[in-house]
Amino acid sequence: MSSSRCAGTIVAQLCAQGVTEAVLASGSRSAPLALALASAEAEGRLRLHVRFDERSAGFLALGLAKASGRPVPVLTTSGTAVGNLLPAVMEAHHSGVPLLVISADRPAALVGVGANQTTDQARLFQPFVRWSARVSSTASETSWAAQTARACVLAAGAGSCNPGPAHLNVELDQPLVGGEVALPELVAVVREPSGGSVAAPLVAGLRTVVVCGDAPVAVGRQAAQLARSGGFPLVAEPSSNARDAALRTGSLLLGSALAAEVERVVVFGHPTLSRSVNRLLARDDVEIIVVSAAPEWPDAGWRATRVVPALVAAEPDDSGWLRRWQAADAQLSARVDELVAEQAVLTGPAVAAAVVASVGSGVLMLGNSQPIRDADLACGAGARVFANRGLAGIDGTTSTAVGVALASEEPVTLLCGDLTFLHDANGLAAGLGERRPDLRIVVADDSGGSIFATLEYGDVRYADSFERVFGTPPGVDPVRLVEAHGIPVRRVEDEAALTAALHRPIQGLDVVVATIDRTGRRALNTQLNALANLVD
């Protein structure tokens, strides 16, 4: 009966967000939503208006939204019914009216195969909506309310001062009806306006952790300042530009017993790197506050209930909360260093630690996959750090680093894996007379994709296929490739040689290839994660 629960959650969240008017054009696929709207009206939560012509229904909702200034949903069934809303959506776009389209649909697997009354309607309004999403009755129940709330917030223009239409395409599976229950009582997601200079207060008393994902320098400084002023532990990704105030082993500590005591998380930037952070942000017993001045905000766990442009701690937490995390971080850092030093061969964490130390307060770029995760365990703060974490791909990393170096007019160091390096080999090339950057590229060469060994696919069950479909050894020597470009390059086999190579000043473009044996990568990763269990 997931379709009934999905519809009830969507309508309940609409009411929680302050929706008081709704328009319905009846149909079959939209039946669960129609019944939920009727229940909401019977309970006095909203007024429902029913029309048989979808085009008229769309403009009725437009008028209701225009006069009230609040989002008004218009609900239709699938197929041409949705298309009839396009004129109203276009008008809402150009006149800045918070119209919310909720279109019922069949499951995605039935689109494009000739199923009755089914077309590709999820993208129908794409040029005109402020935001759109596919909502599936078979997805996580927490996503239903979160996507509905986001659609209301963005349609209202909160945070952007740009109200307009939004679209939820709701994929409802059979059975459509039966098992209806009372509408749940839900909490509104609040998006405070981004205009003005007054920061929102943070209510004292909750055990709080600050998380900062990938972020520009200004945002990283905000996260660090809040952590310092409030006495909060800060877990910051390497490209957060907030590492100077962060716990070194924060992502590992979130696997310790301390994490169970967290009551509130304040999020800055775009956190995507650590599974332990993702688990924290998905917990239903933790208040999630997102700090973002942008119209949209990160909430992959679907748990954020408050979005603010800036925060100020009401008063410092002097309960010893931060000191406990700092003591645990010191213990865990020492154990990490001991474990890495015990390895008989050069490892990814050792390479990352050497690179981060060599950069100091300079400029560092990190390639995705395993190197940025190894850098997450390295000491060091003060550097300006860049990474392509928007979609976390390995594409164009060298070319991006060249751009960073040319724009900053400072020496830059790039740490990346061999596959990332080979993927953008043309980034080494520039035409005659073109500007050349001061850029050192350190290639952690483990002859393939070591990150997959740390994931589920590295399990012994997949050993027969692992090397070919995950490890993907390229069979290309990066040193010879760099030599073909006429660029200085050296291969290093141990930590002493690596340190010596990194000590040389960066003048022009040069490459250091560090040989890494990835056969023990899974075991090392398991040992690193297990260290959190030993924290006192």
Side-chain angles (χ1 to χ4, degrees), residues 207 209 258-265 280 283 286 321 325:
R207 289 189 290 269
V209 168
L258 271 174
E261 300 182 40
V262 177
E263 298 174 317
R264 177 171 59 198
V265 181
L280 176 65
R283 278 171 47 182
V286 173
W321 174 243
W325 283 81

Side-chain angles (χ1 to χ4, degrees), residues 40-64:
E41 183 178 53
E43 294 175 15
R45 299 197 193 191
L46 52 71
R47 292 196 307 174
L48 179 61
H49 311 269
V50 181
R51 298 292 186 271
F52 63 82
D53 183 307
E54 288 86 3
R55 185 175 184 274
S56 177
F59 279 101
L60 169 60
L62 180 80
L64 289 165

Side-chain angles (χ1 to χ4, degrees), residues 343-431:
Q343 306 306 304
V345 295
L346 191 61
T347 63
V351 171
V355 169
V356 171
S358 73
V359 172
S361 60
V363 183
L364 173 65
M365 174 139 183
L366 295 169
N368 286 318
S369 201
Q370 195 59 54
I372 192 169
R373 289 169 171 81
D374 289 336
D376 194 31
L377 294 178
C379 281
R384 280 193 297 147
V385 184
F386 297 86
N388 287 339
R389 295 300 299 171
L391 291 177
I394 65 173
D395 317 58
T397 301
T398 296
S399 298
T400 303
V402 170
V404 169
L406 291 174
S408 63
E409 297 184 338
E410 297 178 50
V412 174
T413 300
L414 163 65
L415 170 63
C416 65
D418 58 304
L419 296 184
T420 296
F421 180 71
L422 295 173
H423 200 284
D424 190 25
N426 277 347
L428 298 174

Side-chain angles (χ1 to χ4, degrees), residues 22-282:
V23 181
L24 168 67
S26 299
S28 176
R29 184 57 53 165
S30 56
L33 289 157
L35 291 172
L37 284 172
S39 294
E41 183 178 53
E43 294 175 15
R45 299 197 193 191
L46 52 71
R47 292 196 307 174
L48 179 61
H49 311 269
V50 181
R51 298 292 186 271
F52 63 82
D53 183 307
E54 288 86 3
R55 185 175 184 274
S56 177
F59 279 101
L60 169 60
L62 180 80
L64 289 165
K66 189 185 287 281
S68 68
R70 291 192 297 269
V72 173
V74 54
L75 169 65
T76 73
T77 191
S78 61
T80 56
V82 190
N84 280 305
L85 297 179
L86 180 59
V89 170
M90 294 171 69
E91 173 60 27
H93 164 64
H94 288 286
S95 57
V97 176
L99 179 69
L100 178 56
V101 172
I102 302 179
S103 56
D105 202 357
R106 282 151 176 78
L110 296 179
V111 176
V113 296
N116 182 46
Q117 213 171 46
T118 302
T119 187
D120 185 4
Q121 63 190 45
R123 298 176 295 174
L124 185 62
F125 308 114
Q126 204 61 51
F128 306 110
V129 290
R130 302 296 184 266
W131 188 72
S132 63
R134 304 175 75 112
V135 182
S136 173
S137 65
T138 60
S140 167
E141 295 193 14
T142 55
S143 69
W144 304 335
Q147 289 176 302
T148 303
R150 185 179 291 250
C152 290
V153 169
L154 294 175
S160 69
C161 299
N162 186 30
H167 179 205
L168 292 177
N169 192 65
V170 185
E171 300 171 358
L172 298 168
D173 205 355
Q174 295 282 1
L176 293 175
V177 295
E180 288 80 14
V181 296
L183 299 183
E185 294 292 338
L186 300 177
V187 176
V189 173
V190 178
R191 176 63 162 102
E192 298 183 14
S194 58
S197 58
V198 179
L202 192 63
V203 177
L206 295 180
R207 289 189 290 269
T208 300
V209 168
V210 178
V211 167
C212 190
D214 179 69
V217 172
V219 173
R221 287 175 178 165
Q222 290 176 22
Q225 176 58 34
L226 178 67
R228 290 192 185 102
S229 65
F232 305 137
L234 171 59
V235 179
E237 293 183 7
S239 58
S240 65
N241 288 290
R243 295 282 285 194
D244 57 335
L247 303 165
R248 174 190 170 186
T249 62
S251 60
L252 289 181
L253 283 173
L254 289 179
S256 72
L258 271 174
E261 300 182 40
V262 177
E263 298 174 317
R264 177 171 59 198
V265 181
V266 180
V267 181
F268 291 80
H270 183 206
T272 58
L273 191 65
S274 167
R275 288 189 175 187
S276 61
V277 170
N278 292 338
R279 286 192 294 269
L280 176 65
L281 298 181

Side-chain angles (χ1 to χ4, degrees), residues 338-347 493-495 515 517 524:
E338 290 172 5
L339 178 60
V340 172
E342 290 170 359
Q343 306 306 304
V345 295
L346 191 61
T347 63
E493 309 279 347
D494 54 48
E495 197 167 345
T515 303
D517 181 0
L524 177 59

